[in-house]
Amino acid sequence: MASPGKGAPAQEWDEIVPAPDRDATAASALRDKAIDFLASHGSDDTSFTYEEEKAVVGRIDRRVLPLILGAYFFQQLDKSSLSYVSIFGISDDAHLVGQQYSWLGSILYLAQLVMQPLAAFVLVKLPTGKVLATAIFLWGSALAIMSSCTNFPSLLGLRFVLGSFEAMIAPCCVAITQMWWRRGEQTMRNSYWNAMNGVTAIVGSLFTYGLGHIQSDRLFKYQIIFMFCGLLTVLFSVVVFVLMPDSPMEAKYLKDREKVIAVERLRANQMGVASREWRWDHVWETLWDLKTWCWFIIIVAISIASGGISTFGSLIVKSFGYTNFEAILFNIPFGAIQIIVIIGSGWVATRFQSKGLVIAGVSVLPAVGTILMLTVPRAYKGVLLFGYYLVSCLAAITPLIYTWQAQNTGGDTKKKCTSAVVFIGMCTGNVIGPLLFSTDQAPLYRPGLIAALIMFVTVGGLSALIPLYLIILNRQHAKQRESLGKNAVLVDESMLAKNQMENSKAVEIEGGSANRNQRALDEDNAMRDMTDVKNEDFIYVY
C-alpha cells in the first residue's frame, strides 16, 4: 500500500509484507503476466511520480477510452435499430403477428445469454483488443445482411446471430476497464462508455428521422436503416483492429517506461492484470460466492424493466397521441437525460464511494415515472411524457452494477466468470422484459408497466442491503491479516482521490520509499492470480 499522506496517523498505514509461510511454488503457479513484464522491464525500480502517472493515464484515456466508447455506441445502435424501425411499419412489411415483434427483441438477448460462457473463456485465453475488433466486424456484418430479411423466420435467425457476436461487447468493455484503470477510476470510465446508451438514443433517433424520409420502390424503410447501421459498424471495426492494444504490457503506442507505470499502478487494485490461463478453481468459487448471486438478482430485475421499456419505448410514446416522427424526436431528450444521469450518478458514487446507496436512490426516479404513466389519464400528454423521461433514469443503474461487481472481484478467470454471470442475468432480464409487453396492450401497456415498477422496487431494496454483506467480508479479511502478522487496517490506494494520490506519491519519493520492488513481485498478492476471497489484502468497496 502507499505511504501515508502528510498529517496522517502512522498507525493507520501498513506496508504489506508477505507472510513468511507462503509457499513459493504455489506463488509461481499463480503468476499474472504483469509479474513477468515488471521483472523484465522494471530495472529494479518501478516507482513513479504523480505527474508521471497522470501523463500515462492521459495517454490511456485518449487512446483506449474513445475506442470502447465507439464500440459500445455501435453495439447499442445496432441492437436498438429494431426499436427505431418499429414505428415505420416493420410489423406490416415483414408480416409480423402476435408476439413475433416481441420475440425479435428477446431473441437477441437469448443469444447473448447462451454465448456468455464462451465469451468468458475467449476473453481469458485470447487478446482482448483483437476479440473486440472481430466481434464488432461480425455483428456489423450480421446487421447489414439483415437488411435482406423480409419475414419473421429470417429476421429471427439474423437477430440471433447479431446477439451472439454482441455477447462479447459488454464483457470486453468491463475487462478493458479493469485492465487499464485503478478501481477508483473505473466508475467514471464505466459511466462514460455506458452513457453511449444516451448518445445512441440521440444519434439513432436523428439517423432514423433522416433515413425514414427516404422513399424507395425496392427497399422497406427498416431495410435501409439496418443496412446503413451495419455498414457503418463494419467500418469502425477496422479502426478498433488497428488501434486497440491487447493489454498495457503490449501497448505499442506507449514507451517502455510508460508501460511499466501503466502496469505498476494497477498493483493497488489487488486484482492482477492478465494471466491468459483458465483456472477451474476460480470458476467454482464464482458459483459459490454469495456476491455473484447478489449482482445476478439486481441485474436481472433492472434488465427486465429496461428490456421492456427500450423495446416498446417508441410505441409507448406514440400511444400518448404523438405521430411517428414526433415519437422519434421525443427520444432525443430521453437520450440526453440518460447521458446526464449515467455520468452524474457515476460522479456521485465516486465522490462518496457508495454504489449501493446511489443505486437505491436512482431507482426511485424510474419508479415514480412508471407510477405517473400508470395513473395519469391519456389526455395529459405532457405529464405522461415527463413520466417517460423519469423512467429513462434507469439507464444509470446497469453501469453502476457493472462497476460494483468488477471492483469487488479478483483473479483473472474469476473476473471474467463473474462478469459472465452478470451478463447472463442482464440477458435473462432483457429476454423476459419485452415478453411482458405486447402490442395488444396498447395504448396503456398496463401489465408491462406494473412489472417494471415491481422490478425498480426490488433493485432499490437489495442494493441498499448488499453493502452490509461487503462490510462483513472486509472484517473477515482484517482478521485474516492479523492472523498472518499483518496490520488489520489497510488503506485502499486504488480508491484514493487524485489529490490524495499526489500527496502519497510525494511522501514516497521524499521518504525514500520509492523502491516498491521491496515487495518481491512473486510474493506480492496484488500481482498473483488470486481471487478476492483468498487474497486477504483485498478490500471490498461498497
Side-chain angles (χ1 to χ4, degrees):
M1 287 296 162
S3 301
K6 295 177 180 178
Q11 65 272 20
E12 295 183 0
W13 296 78
D14 177 47
E15 182 74 12
I16 299 175
V17 180
D21 59 345
R22 294 289 190 191
D23 183 77
T25 304
S28 177
L30 292 167
R31 295 172 72 91
D32 188 279
K33 286 192 175 296
I35 294 179
D36 297 327
F37 175 83
L38 290 177
S40 60
H41 291 77
S43 301
D44 297 324
D45 183 8
T46 57
S47 63
F48 51 87
T49 66
Y50 169 75
E51 288 74 18
E52 285 181 304
E53 181 180 17
K54 183 178 178 181
V56 170
V57 173
R59 296 205 67 188
I60 293 171
D61 284 341
R62 290 190 294 272
R63 168 61 73 90
V64 179
L65 188 57
L67 293 174
I68 58 175
L69 292 180
Y72 206 75
F73 167 81
F74 280 104
Q75 180 255 183
Q76 190 64 29
L77 179 69
D78 297 348
K79 180 171 63 178
S80 301
S81 58
L82 179 67
S83 178
Y84 299 142
V85 302
S86 64
I87 59 176
F88 285 119
I90 186 175
S91 294
D92 294 331
D93 296 336
H95 313 293
L96 305 180
V97 296
Q99 289 281 89
Q100 288 183 342
Y101 174 76
S102 298
W103 270 109
L104 291 181
S106 295
I107 193 67
L108 180 139
Y109 292 101
L110 186 61
Q112 290 191 9
L113 187 156
V114 171
M115 295 297 291
Q116 283 306 319
L118 177 61
F121 182 79
V122 167
L123 285 174
V124 171
K125 299 293 289 184
L126 299 179
T128 307
K130 303 301 183 294
V131 169
L132 180 61
T134 303
I136 295 172
F137 175 80
L138 292 173
W139 91 57
S141 301
L143 183 61
I145 295 171
M146 199 186 302
S147 63
S148 66
C149 300
T150 56
N151 54 49
F152 175 68
S154 58
L155 284 169
L156 190 71
L158 264 296
R159 285 284 289 181
F160 185 88
V161 173
L162 178 68
S164 297
F165 296 129
E166 283 192 352
M168 293 290 180
I169 179 62
C172 261
C173 289
V174 170
I176 290 169
T177 304
Q178 290 174 312
M179 185 184 294
W180 288 90
W181 288 281
R182 288 179 186 266
R183 291 200 299 176
E185 301 161 346
Q186 289 173 10
T187 302
M188 288 308 300
R189 272 64 179 189
N190 268 335
S191 295
Y192 292 148
W193 56 261
N194 274 278
M196 292 298 102
N197 288 330
V199 175
T200 300
I202 295 173
V203 177
S205 296
L206 293 173
F207 279 170
T208 306
Y209 186 85
L211 295 171
H213 282 86
I214 296 176
Q215 301 298 326
S216 173
D217 296 330
R218 289 178 168 270
L219 297 173
F220 295 119
K221 294 184 187 298
Y222 77 85
Q223 293 176 305
I224 295 172
I225 293 169
F226 285 166
M227 185 181 299
F228 176 82
C229 295
L231 294 178
L232 207 58
T233 302
V234 169
L235 289 176
F236 181 72
S237 70
V238 178
V239 176
V240 176
F241 187 85
V242 173
L243 297 180
M244 175 64 80
D246 294 316
S247 73
M249 295 86 76
E250 301 162 286
K252 295 180 180 179
Y253 79 100
L254 294 177
K255 300 175 182 177
D256 281 350
R257 170 65 177 166
E258 292 172 326
K259 291 179 185 178
V260 170
I261 295 172
V263 175
E264 172 63 28
R265 64 189 294 273
L266 299 179
R267 275 219 223 185
N269 286 348
Q270 294 289 328
M271 298 164 71
V273 178
S275 69
R276 303 271 166 84
E277 294 292 334
W278 181 263
R279 296 180 57 84
W280 283 105
D281 56 320
H282 288 201
V283 177
W284 307 135
E285 184 176 307
T286 300
L287 297 177
W288 287 108
D289 193 340
L290 179 60
K291 300 194 310 299
T292 302
W293 303 109
C294 291
W295 315 133
F296 180 82
I297 292 171
I298 58 175
I299 197 73
V300 167
I302 194 60
S303 298
I304 288 175
S306 174
I309 296 295
S310 62
T311 302
F312 281 80
S314 296
L315 294 176
I316 290 173
V317 173
K318 186 180 177 182
S319 75
F320 298 161
Y322 296 107
T323 66
N324 288 348
F325 286 105
E326 285 176 336
I328 291 174
L329 293 178
F330 280 134
N331 268 324
I332 294 177
F334 187 94
I337 292 170
Q338 285 186 328
I339 296 171
I340 294 170
V341 75
I342 289 174
I343 295 178
S345 62
W347 182 87
V348 172
T350 300
R351 173 67 178 79
F352 296 100
Q353 296 191 9
S354 177
K355 292 173 185 63
L357 295 181
V358 172
I359 291 173
V362 171
S363 65
V364 173
L365 300 176
V368 172
T370 306
I371 292 172
L372 290 176
M373 293 166 65
L374 283 167
T375 58
V376 174
R378 280 303 188 261
Y380 299 96
K381 294 196 295 185
V383 179
L384 290 168
L385 193 61
F386 175 71
Y388 179 68
Y389 288 154
L390 281 180
V391 170
S392 71
C393 296
L394 66 86
I397 295 175
T398 299
L400 288 175
I401 296 173
Y402 288 169
T403 306
W404 205 10
Q405 66 87 13
Q407 291 179 337
N408 283 296
T409 309
D412 193 23
T413 302
K414 187 181 180 183
K415 287 189 294 184
K416 305 303 191 300
C417 288
T418 303
S419 290
V421 172
V422 168
F423 292 123
I424 287 173
M426 183 270 291
C427 297
T428 302
N430 277 285
V431 169
I432 298 171
L435 299 178
L436 298 179
F437 288 78
S438 171
T439 52
D440 298 335
Q441 299 174 9
L444 299 179
Y445 296 98
R446 191 171 184 82
L449 291 174
I450 290 174
L453 177 60
I454 294 172
M455 294 302 103
F456 294 137
V457 174
T458 301
V459 170
L462 287 178
S463 298
L465 294 175
I466 291 174
L468 299 179
Y469 177 59
L470 297 177
I471 289 173
I472 294 173
L473 294 180
N474 274 340
R475 289 176 177 173
Q476 291 176 349
H477 274 189
K479 291 180 180 179
Q480 290 174 10
R481 288 193 293 271
E482 278 190 313
S483 68
L484 292 170
K486 300 180 180 181
N487 193 329
V489 179
L490 296 180
V491 172
D492 186 359
E493 186 179 303
S494 72
M495 298 298 291
L496 290 180
K498 289 184 178 180
N499 60 326
Q500 295 171 309
M501 188 64 66
E502 184 172 9
N503 290 336
S504 175
K505 294 296 178 190
V507 171
E508 283 183 13
I509 301 299
E510 293 170 6
S513 60
N515 184 12
R516 279 196 178 207
N517 268 355
Q518 285 177 337
R519 287 177 280 150
L521 286 169
D522 282 335
E523 297 175 340
D524 188 357
N525 288 347
M527 288 304 182
R528 297 170 63 190
D529 192 17
M530 296 181 70
T531 66
D532 55 280
V533 173
K534 295 181 179 178
N535 181 2
E536 70 278 356
D537 297 327
F538 192 95
I539 300 175
Y540 296 98
V541 296
Y542 314 134

